[in-house]
């Protein structure tokens, strides 16, 4: 055991746009039903950003709440990472726009594109800056306007996604090199580009010149999800030297209640320890984990000092897991 600098999450915040889209609302647009959507996914409703709301607007709202929760101000920030697959503009990075809108000082700011796994990727990257002493106060945001890239004639995808943002403030914390330390204990990141056709957007800057629409072979993605996520979680637990029975809260990416349950069952994680917001948020891609974390912290479930397990999987295919003590 020796002293080690860790990356601690010191504040969490989130934001959901006002507009609620229920399953019944979607049944008026495509051939679907509340029963089908709820039974297959666990989703009841999702949020949709207003036409004049950019993803940076959602990100800034979540960021302000996270800063307040951490007792910090924008002035303190020297690192901003935004995980998003639906940026305001092709460039500059949404993180640079967030920096300007928050009035944060000059510092490091960039975006991460790992789709639904973006938040786990971004947090792991932040760990490199904070735990190596290259940043003192970071803002890690997952923010998405997924409804802007949906094909509203495709019932197999348009019912699954929603808009929102979640943010965490990260700061250095000195630990003893044990699993009792506060902060990030381990992470595992994966990408299998061979499977990119299972989940992608059919447009882009250097190909079609158009934004494109989300395409997914849902059933195939589902099959990979449970196996891959479970493997990454076990690898992250191994790396940290943690037994999964020690985990207080499992905060998964919120794609489908059946995936959440499948992973929890496979790993013997009690459902009572799983934070699920999929019913109300649907799949908000990179925003879903910090959104769910914020809900469970604010309602008193997740408490300081507890061991939290994050996992995600998305386009790429990308996936990963992260263990941290709050
Ligand atoms: O965050 C990124 C990762 N993404 C995910 O994790 C998503 C993973 N996939 C899923 O969550 C599920 O595969 C879905 C919810 C997308 C679909 O559930 P499924 O049990 O895999 O259904 P399926 O795709 O095998 O489709 C079953 C049937 C099909 O009809 P037929 O061919 O059996 O006649 C679909 O056409 O359900 C039909 N269907 C619908 N019916 C009513 C597909 N979408 C709908 C719909 N409403 N919205």
């Amino acid at each position: 055991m020796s002293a080690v600098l860790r990356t601690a999450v010191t504040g969490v915040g989130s934001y959901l746009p006002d507009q609620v889209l229920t399953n019944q609302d979607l049944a008026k647009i495509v051939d679907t039903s509340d029963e089908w959507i709820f039974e297959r996914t666990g989703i009841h409703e999702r949020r949709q950003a207003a036409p004049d709301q950019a993803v940076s607007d959602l990100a800034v709202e979540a960021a302000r709440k996270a800063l307040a929760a951490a007792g910090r101000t924008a002035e303190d920030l020297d690192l901003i990472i935004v995980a998003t697959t639906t940026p305001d503009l092709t460039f500059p990075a949404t993180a640079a726009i967030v920096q300007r809108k928050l009035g944060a000082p000059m510092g490091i700011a960039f975006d991460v594109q790992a789709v639904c796994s973006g938040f786990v990727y971004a947090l792991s990257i932040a760990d490199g800056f904070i735990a190596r002493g290259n940043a003192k106060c970071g803002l890690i945001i997952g923010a998405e306007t997924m409804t802007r890239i949906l094909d509203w004639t495709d019932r197999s995808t348009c019912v699954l996604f929603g808009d929102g943002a979640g943010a965490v403030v990260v700061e250095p914390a000195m630990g003893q090199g044990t699993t009792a330390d506060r902060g990030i204990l381990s992470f595992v990141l994966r990408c299998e580009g061979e499977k990119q056709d299972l989940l992608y957007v059919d447009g882009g800057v250097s190909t079609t010149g158009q934004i494109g629409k989300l395409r997914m072979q849902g059933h195939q993605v589902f099959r990979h999800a449970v196996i891959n996520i479970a493997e990454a979680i076990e690898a992250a637990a191994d790396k940290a030297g943690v037994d999964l029975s020690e985990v207080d809260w499992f905060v998964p990416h919120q794609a489908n209640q059946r995936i959440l349950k499948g992973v929890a069952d496979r790993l013997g994680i009690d459902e009572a320890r799983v934070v699920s917001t999929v019913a109300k948020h649907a799949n908000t891609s990179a925003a879903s984990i910090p959104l769910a974390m914020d809900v469970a912290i604010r309602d008193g479930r997740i408490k300081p000092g507890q061991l939290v397990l994050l996992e995600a999987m998305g386009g790429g295919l990308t996936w990963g897991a992260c263990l941290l003590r709050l």
Side-chain angles (χ1 to χ4, degrees), residues 7-317:
T7 304
V9 170
T10 57
V12 184
S14 66
Y15 172 78
L16 288 166
D18 294 336
Q19 178 71 43
V20 176
L21 272 185
T22 65
N23 291 348
Q24 284 87 353
D25 293 331
L26 296 182
K28 293 176 196 151
I29 307 172
V30 285
D31 180 16
T32 190
S33 64
D34 180 39
E35 294 71 39
W36 191 94
I37 301 172
F38 185 67
E39 267 172 30
R40 298 291 179 120
T41 69
I43 298 168
H44 274 309
E45 60 185 47
R46 70 288 290 143
R47 299 297 179 101
Q48 183 169 30
D52 63 350
Q53 276 183 312
V55 83
S56 63
D57 296 320
L58 277 53
V60 163
E61 294 290 339
R64 289 205 171 106
K65 290 181 190 158
L67 284 166
R72 296 285 174 203
T73 69
E75 270 297 306
D76 297 317
L77 294 170
D78 54 6
L79 168 70
I80 301 175
I81 309 178
V82 177
T84 187
T85 199
T86 50
D88 285 24
L89 301 168
T90 301
F91 78 79
T94 301
I97 299 170
V98 167
Q99 187 200 54
R100 172 178 61 77
K101 288 184 176 177
L102 284 175
M106 190 164 59
I108 305 163
F110 60 93
D111 288 358
V112 166
Q113 163 57 301
V115 205
C116 298
S117 311
F119 183 76
V120 174
Y121 267 70
L123 201 56
S124 309
I125 295 164
D127 190 35
F129 285 100
I130 299 282
R132 290 183 67 86
N134 290 313
K136 292 260 175 290
C137 187
L139 184 61
I140 315 309
I141 307 173
E144 299 281 15
T145 47
M146 295 304 283
T147 61
R148 305 268 164 85
I149 54 167
L150 296 177
D151 176 352
W152 291 100
T153 65
D154 176 9
R155 68 177 182 171
S156 71
T157 53
C158 76
V159 302
L160 303 174
F161 295 88
D163 301 338
V168 302
V169 173
V170 287
E171 299 180 64
M174 199 49 84
Q176 297 305 311
T178 74
T179 59
D181 288 352
R182 186 179 182 204
I184 295 176
L185 300 179
S186 72
F187 58 82
V188 161
L189 303 175
R190 311 256 191 256
C191 177
E192 196 176 2
E194 281 293 321
K195 299 210 167 71
Q196 71 176 77
D197 290 348
L198 299 185
L199 176 52
Y200 66 104
V201 166
D202 63 3
V205 179
S206 66
T207 51
T208 63
Q210 306 290 319
I211 297 167
K213 300 288 183 206
L214 186 147
R215 306 292 171 206
M216 176 164 69
Q217 295 178 42
H219 202 68
Q220 296 295 323
V221 175
F222 193 106
R223 279 188 46 235
H224 286 283
V226 176
I227 299 164
N228 286 338
I229 291 167
E231 182 276 326
I233 288 173
E234 282 177 325
D238 253 18
K239 231 170 152 179
V242 161
D243 190 280
L244 286 176
S245 62
E246 297 169 51
V247 172
D248 293 296
W249 291 103
F250 175 38
V251 187
H253 168 51
Q254 309 284 319
N256 185 322
Q257 186 63 35
R258 287 158 55 216
I259 298 178
L260 270 61
K261 186 172 175 348
V263 173
D265 286 353
R266 203 179 171 94
L267 297 174
I269 297 171
D270 181 356
E271 263 190 275
R273 292 191 286 140
V274 181
V275 177
S276 173
T277 54
V278 69
K280 286 190 160 255
H281 301 174
N283 183 345
T284 57
S285 184
S288 90
I289 291 174
L291 257 163
M293 243 169 99
D294 191 41
V295 166
I297 288 171
R298 283 176 200 268
D299 71 18
R301 274 179 290 171
I302 302 182
K303 296 183 179 62
Q306 289 190 321
L307 191 58
V308 179
L309 168 65
L310 316 179
E311 60 83 348
M313 180 184 172
L317 294 178

